Amino acid sequence: MTSSTKVLDGGWGWAIVAASFMAQFLAYGSPQSVGVLYPEWLHTYQEGKGMTAWVGSLVAGVGLIASPICSACVDNFGARPVTLFSGVMVAGGLMLSAFAPNVQFLIFSYGIVVGLGCGLVYAATLTITCQYFDKRRGLALGIVTTGTSVGAFIYATAQNELIVLYGLDGCLLIIGAMALNLMACSGFMRPLNMPGYYLKQKAALERNTEEQLFVKPPFDDLKILLITIDAKDLSIQTEKKEGHLAGLAIVKAIKQKQKAYSKYMQSLYEILQDQEMLAFCIAIFLFSLGAFPPVLFVEDVAQSGGLIEEVSVIPLVSIGAIATCIGKLALGILVDIKWINGVYLYAFTMLAAGLVLLFIPITKSYVGLQILTAILGFFSGNWSLTSYITTKIVGIDRLTQAHGILMFFGGFGIMLGPPVVGWFFDWTQSYDLAFYFSGICVLLGAFILFLLSLPCWNRRPSENDKPEVQYTSTCDKVASVA
């Protein structure tokens, strides 16, 4: 532990920050600027806008919904192998999308494969970053997570130019080849703490004698099963037990695991019983449902309304991405001011974003659409407030679990939002009703969050009690500031 403490907040940690920034840049550049690809897919596959929108919604939502699984992969195997594997997934999914015969195949290759790869990158980069930083952890995470916004800004223009030069297929092949550099980024992610998988293997080897390593024991298959269930508790118990005694040991271990899972589920239930936390989850869902679709549809909105013939030199997606980056930093600074309530600040950003969404249908100029996109992007930077607000509501010890719940709600909203907007267009042949629906959803979320967070409500005295949760590393207590 001493050696790991010496390298915190400096040294190789800044190499980790640079590598993690580039990893998020390479992984999220194309998915975050998918709005540039969306009109091309509509023209190529001639499918409805609702069906085609599933591609962009899944690539953004799958990684969030699967965040508990992605985090478990990082805990067990480490950030370096996970980032290496994610490079194969992201690059492979992008290249495979270049040969997609229809939208359904594209939903799998781009939406699911690339989406899961991005989720793995997200979990790995944040985990390894917060392992290397303590006092400067917020700054380090802030730098790392801006990689997504910078990637969206650059990739939006780059993909537009690549489509003009090499076509849609060539663009996806080149972007996929660039994503292979994720493997190079993984090389910098030197672990401070041994992952859980290697610790289990080491514990199993230490309990075996030299004869057991080279001579196959009579109950070899049983011991492998026992190590899988619980390497610490069962290997010693079953070395001298045979028959039904070994079976009883397995049953006992399974019951212990079931008890641990029951405690975990009870902790999740207690988190959702908190009125303010439940309101925050609902607000995250409604905000994601309403505010994410413009990222995917804004270019098509401009073209469908006759405001511009084709994507401009600086696409609307790029404007929104750089505004989001500024919003993350500005709102992060504001929430540190003592007299500003983080929950009310988040509700205000939702109110402003909802009003912007209501103004989009009545905007009849491209310049006006650029201004509204910038304002919406700025207030969409409120994602940087999620971990801060969650900590204030449930406490630091429950932050990991509560953040996982929030990401599930957010990912579910992101997955549903674009298809719903697309179906509205297919039904009415206009985006007007769709954006009115999106704006109302965001405003409703702001109202619910503000109303249920008022101090007049009676709070349970035990709402911030600390649960009996054991953490495998210091990183488990830190959530994303993206």
Side-chain angles (χ1 to χ4, degrees):
M1 294 297 295
T2 309
S3 59
S4 64
T5 304
K6 290 181 180 179
V7 298
L8 288 176
D9 296 308
W12 190 252
W14 293 115
I16 297 292
V17 169
S20 299
F21 174 90
M22 285 304 302
Q24 292 206 9
F25 174 89
L26 293 166
Y28 280 93
S30 182
Q32 287 288 319
S33 58
V34 71
V36 174
L37 301 175
Y38 179 74
E40 299 296 328
W41 287 332
L42 287 173
H43 176 74
T44 302
Y45 299 108
Q46 297 295 313
E47 287 279 358
K49 298 195 177 184
M51 174 62 73
T52 310
W54 275 110
V55 181
S57 65
L58 282 172
V59 76
V62 163
L64 290 177
I65 290 180
S67 57
I69 299 175
C70 297
S71 298
C73 290
V74 176
D75 287 339
N76 281 279
F77 301 105
R80 179 181 285 170
V82 169
T83 305
L84 187 68
F85 180 71
S86 68
V88 178
M89 289 192 69
V90 174
L94 289 169
M95 292 181 180
L96 200 60
S97 299
F99 304 97
N102 48 52
V103 171
Q104 288 75 16
F105 187 90
L106 201 63
I107 288 174
F108 166 75
S109 61
Y110 195 98
I112 296 177
V113 177
V114 176
L116 286 175
C118 289
L120 290 171
V121 171
Y122 193 74
T125 51
L126 295 183
T127 300
I128 192 69
T129 299
C130 62
Q131 283 179 352
Y132 269 84
F133 287 86
D134 184 16
K135 295 179 181 178
R136 298 179 180 176
R137 184 176 290 160
L139 173 63
L141 288 171
I143 295 172
V144 169
T145 54
T146 55
T148 60
S149 300
V150 175
F153 176 76
I154 295 177
Y155 269 66
T157 304
Q159 289 183 147
N160 182 36
E161 294 299 322
L162 289 173
I163 289 171
V164 173
L165 293 174
Y166 304 105
L168 179 61
D169 298 345
C171 170
L172 290 171
L173 285 173
I174 294 172
I175 294 299
M178 290 176 61
L180 287 172
N181 288 290
L182 280 165
M183 298 182 184
C185 295
S186 68
F188 291 88
M189 298 180 182
R190 186 172 62 201
L192 280 178
N193 305 313
M194 293 298 291
Y197 173 78
Y198 297 105
L199 292 176
K200 288 180 181 179
Q201 295 300 314
K202 183 181 178 182
L205 290 173
E206 286 176 350
R207 291 188 180 96
N208 289 327
T209 62
E210 292 184 2
E211 293 138 354
Q212 288 174 322
L213 289 174
F214 296 100
V215 179
K216 184 177 180 180
F219 296 98
D220 186 58
D221 294 338
L222 174 61
K223 288 183 180 180
I224 292 174
L225 174 63
L226 298 179
I227 289 172
T228 304
I229 294 175
D230 198 322
K232 291 184 179 180
D233 298 332
L234 289 180
S235 57
I236 295 178
Q237 295 178 15
T238 56
E239 280 179 2
K240 297 181 180 180
K241 292 183 180 180
E242 298 181 1
H244 69 283
L245 294 178
L248 290 175
I250 297 175
V251 173
K252 182 179 178 182
I254 292 174
K255 288 182 178 180
Q256 289 175 346
K257 291 294 181 183
Q258 288 178 340
K259 186 177 180 181
Y261 292 142
S262 297
K263 280 187 175 182
Y264 180 78
M265 295 305 296
Q266 178 64 25
S267 179
L268 294 181
Y269 175 72
E270 291 174 358
I271 289 173
L272 288 176
Q273 276 188 320
D274 188 296
Q275 178 177 286
E276 195 171 12
M277 185 64 195
L278 182 60
F280 195 33
C281 289
I282 295 173
I284 287 282
F285 169 76
L286 291 173
F287 181 79
S288 302
L289 180 68
F292 177 73
V295 176
L296 182 62
F297 289 99
V298 66
E299 296 293 344
D300 194 51
V301 169
Q303 295 180 27
S304 300
L307 304 180
I308 191 172
E309 292 296 327
E310 57 186 17
V311 180
S312 63
V313 177
I314 301 179
L316 294 171
V317 176
S318 293
I319 295 174
I322 199 66
T324 300
C325 186
I326 296 172
K328 287 178 182 179
L329 298 175
L331 294 173
I333 294 172
L334 282 175
V335 80
D336 281 334
I337 300 175
K338 292 182 179 180
W339 54 269
I340 291 181
N341 185 294
V343 176
Y344 295 157
L345 178 61
Y346 193 93
F348 172 77
T349 62
M350 290 186 66
L351 175 65
L355 293 175
V356 169
L357 288 168
L358 294 179
F359 276 107
I360 288 178
I362 61 176
T363 302
K364 302 303 179 183
S365 70
Y366 191 72
V367 174
L369 205 56
Q370 288 177 317
I371 295 173
L372 291 178
T373 301
I375 297 173
L376 182 63
F378 178 86
F379 289 111
S380 295
N382 59 10
W383 278 94
S384 63
L385 306 178
T386 54
S387 58
Y388 179 92
I389 296 172
T390 307
T391 306
K392 290 294 184 181
I393 296 175
V394 302
I396 188 68
D397 288 330
R398 293 188 178 185
L399 177 57
T400 304
Q401 294 167 291
H403 190 263
I405 296 173
L406 279 176
M407 291 301 100
F408 176 83
F409 276 90
F412 192 55
I414 285 174
M415 284 181 60
L416 288 181
V420 169
V421 171
W423 290 330
F424 269 116
F425 184 91
D426 293 337
W427 177 39
T428 64
Q429 294 302 307
S430 172
Y431 280 111
D432 293 356
L433 189 59
F435 277 90
Y436 288 138
F437 169 79
S438 298
I440 290 171
C441 284
V442 176
L443 290 175
L444 178 62
F447 175 75
I448 291 174
L449 180 61
F450 177 78
L451 181 65
L452 296 185
S453 301
L454 291 174
C456 59
W457 297 99
N458 292 325
R459 304 289 181 189
R460 298 190 313 276
S462 60
E463 68 175 343
N464 288 325
D465 288 350
K466 297 180 180 179
E468 297 178 0
V469 179
Q470 294 180 351
Y471 295 95
T472 57
S473 69
T474 57
C475 188
D476 288 343
K477 295 185 180 182
V478 180
S480 154
V481 294

